[in-house]
Amino acid sequence: MNQNQKKQQQELKKSVAAFAKPDSTAGIKQMINTFVPFILVWYLAYLSLEISVWATIPLAMIAGGFVIRIFIIFHDCTHQSFLKNKKANRIIGTIAGIITLFPFEKWKRDHNIHHATSGNLDKRGTGDIWVMTIEEYKEASFKQRVAYRLYRNPLVMFGLGPLYLFLIANRFNRKGAKKKERMNTYITNVAIVILYSFMIWAIGWQAFLIINLPILYVSGVLGIWLFYVQHQFEDSYFEEESEWDFVKAAVDGSSYYKLPKALQWISGNIGFHHVHHLSPRVPNYNLEKAHDATPPLEHATTITLKTSLESIRFRLYDTKNKTFVSFKEAKSRLKEAKEQSMLGQKRPTLQEK
């Protein structure tokens, strides 16, 4: 990369960083227009049980959408970008984490590592979707291939993924976790048990399950989908450590998910993911402003609801062509590479000489 390119990237990062200013007034407004509607919709879902379960489930699914918005508040708090006060961020983040079933300190650590290593082929594995290159898959054992195929299967990722996150991954501390992180996970788990026990006592276990299972499942599926699609697009950025660049990883390795306004609002503007990775301290309520005020960001990879569905078929990363491919495409490319290699090794005949 030449000096001119480096200067342009520094200017780009600097222009976005100007929006990395928490606004407590905006944060409080967002809490009101997020937590209050969530509670109201949840209560309507409970009241609708007197009419029909089929009236309850749609309301629970809408409440699940608000859980996504609550998660974005949680997410911003882990970046200390939602409110000006650090302690307030931690308190609000922990409360939002109890509602969304995510431990604040544990997820903050993993997510910060994700930001520092996104698109770096040599530092994958923490806070990321599991990605294997074609070469790695070729050299993998049968057991590893089966595990990877299951992991990347949409029915497993989006069907069982939420259950794994809520019941296993978020409930246990990692090996070597520091005391602050471990205690926060324990506090979150105990608070969830107390909250759910009270709800079951107040409305009964059947009503509790009918309302909360759709909420958790819808929010879990949508959450995984948003995280998946904003890094798993066809020409996403991946490089080895020696070539990896933070700004390029942010702009070229994170998409602009252009959603209808209603979905953009309920997802807390996280579709402006390229802006978020360029400057993680920009709060969600400033992401669109940063995007609109920075013309070079118009060239970021833009995906829509329709085009984002194409990412479901992506399985492996082709480091040679810098693109995601399906298993079928990977097999074809490996076959072509093998044939070319054999042709290159073939000795010329007497006639060819």
Side-chain angles (χ1 to χ4, degrees):
M1 186 184 299
N2 58 45
Q3 291 298 318
N4 186 46
Q5 288 176 316
K6 285 185 177 181
K7 186 177 179 181
Q8 289 178 342
Q9 289 191 358
Q10 289 172 354
E11 290 176 352
L12 180 63
K13 189 177 179 181
K14 185 178 179 181
S15 63
V16 172
F19 293 88
K21 298 175 181 177
D23 182 343
S24 293
T25 300
I28 291 170
K29 285 181 179 179
Q30 187 169 14
M31 283 191 289
I32 293 171
N33 65 36
T34 301
F35 287 100
V36 173
F38 167 70
I39 294 170
L40 288 176
V41 175
W42 189 97
Y43 186 60
L44 284 174
Y46 169 65
L47 293 179
S48 71
L49 285 170
E50 294 291 331
I51 303 171
S52 170
V53 171
W54 300 111
T56 303
I57 292 176
L59 287 169
M61 293 174 71
I62 293 172
F66 277 99
V67 170
I68 290 294
R69 191 165 165 83
I70 292 172
F71 180 82
I72 298 302
I73 292 175
F74 164 85
H75 165 269
D76 279 9
C77 287
T78 64
H79 285 295
Q80 292 292 330
S81 66
F82 189 67
L83 301 169
K84 290 181 180 180
N85 186 281
K86 290 185 177 181
K87 186 176 181 180
N89 275 314
R90 189 164 185 267
I91 292 171
I92 297 301
T94 299
I95 293 171
I98 293 167
I99 296 172
T100 58
L101 306 187
F102 278 80
F104 182 83
E105 294 294 340
K106 182 178 187 294
W107 196 82
K108 180 178 75 171
R109 173 193 174 272
D110 290 352
H111 190 61
N112 284 338
I113 292 174
H114 162 70
H115 272 274
T117 61
S118 181
N120 190 324
L121 289 171
D122 295 321
K123 293 184 178 180
R124 288 165 288 165
T126 302
D128 298 319
I129 296 289
W130 187 11
V131 174
M132 289 183 80
T133 66
I134 292 178
E135 294 79 10
E136 288 169 344
Y137 184 76
K138 178 186 175 183
E139 299 299 323
S141 66
F142 175 75
K143 185 178 180 180
Q144 288 173 322
R145 289 189 183 192
V146 170
Y148 186 72
R149 278 182 172 271
L150 286 173
Y151 177 91
R152 300 290 295 204
N153 186 295
L155 294 176
V156 175
M157 182 174 288
F158 304 110
L160 299 178
L163 296 176
Y164 173 76
L165 272 179
F166 295 146
L167 300 179
I168 300 174
N170 291 348
R171 305 282 65 84
F172 300 96
N173 285 305
R174 63 184 175 87
K175 187 178 180 180
K178 293 183 179 179
K179 183 179 179 180
K180 184 179 180 180
E181 182 180 329
R182 286 188 286 107
M183 290 304 298
N184 182 262
T185 301
Y186 298 149
I187 290 170
T188 300
N189 289 343
V190 170
I192 291 169
V193 170
I194 293 173
L195 176 63
Y196 282 11
S197 296
F198 173 77
M199 291 170 72
I200 291 170
W201 171 80
I203 67 174
W205 67 268
Q206 294 102 326
F208 171 82
L209 292 178
I210 292 170
I211 297 170
N212 285 282
L213 285 182
I215 290 175
L216 294 176
Y217 192 72
V218 167
S219 62
V221 170
L222 292 179
I224 292 173
W225 171 254
L226 286 169
F227 191 78
Y228 172 87
V229 77
Q230 294 190 310
H231 292 289
Q232 309 286 307
F233 50 93
E234 189 169 10
D235 56 349
S236 188
Y237 175 91
F238 283 90
E239 288 288 354
E240 294 179 353
E241 171 71 17
S242 59
E243 299 293 327
W244 184 82
D245 179 81
F246 178 85
V247 176
K248 283 187 69 64
V251 178
D252 297 337
S254 303
S255 66
Y256 165 32
Y257 199 5
K258 194 172 184 178
L259 296 168
K261 284 297 180 180
L263 293 179
Q264 179 185 322
W265 185 86
I266 204 72
S267 61
N269 296 313
I270 201 62
F272 296 94
H273 213 61
H274 56 305
V275 180
H276 173 60
H277 266 264
L278 194 57
S279 184
R281 291 295 300 275
V282 176
N284 75 84
Y285 44 78
N286 282 345
L287 289 174
E288 185 173 13
K289 297 175 186 176
H291 172 83
D292 292 343
T294 314
L297 293 181
E298 294 177 1
H299 303 294
T301 300
T302 302
I303 56 177
T304 63
L305 278 177
K306 183 179 179 181
T307 59
S308 67
L309 296 176
E310 297 174 5
S311 67
I312 295 175
R313 69 180 181 85
F314 299 143
R315 299 289 190 272
L316 298 164
Y317 192 75
D318 183 345
T319 54
K320 183 179 179 181
N321 296 296
K322 308 296 181 183
T323 182
F324 269 106
V325 296
S326 64
F327 284 123
K328 186 177 180 180
E329 290 169 328
K331 186 177 180 180
S332 177
R333 294 187 186 191
L334 285 171
K335 185 178 179 181
E336 289 176 5
K338 185 177 180 180
E339 289 174 349
Q340 290 176 358
S341 177
M342 290 176 67
L343 286 173
Q345 295 175 1
K346 184 180 178 182
R347 294 183 179 181
T349 63
L350 290 174
Q351 290 180 336
E352 289 173 333
K353 289 181 179 180

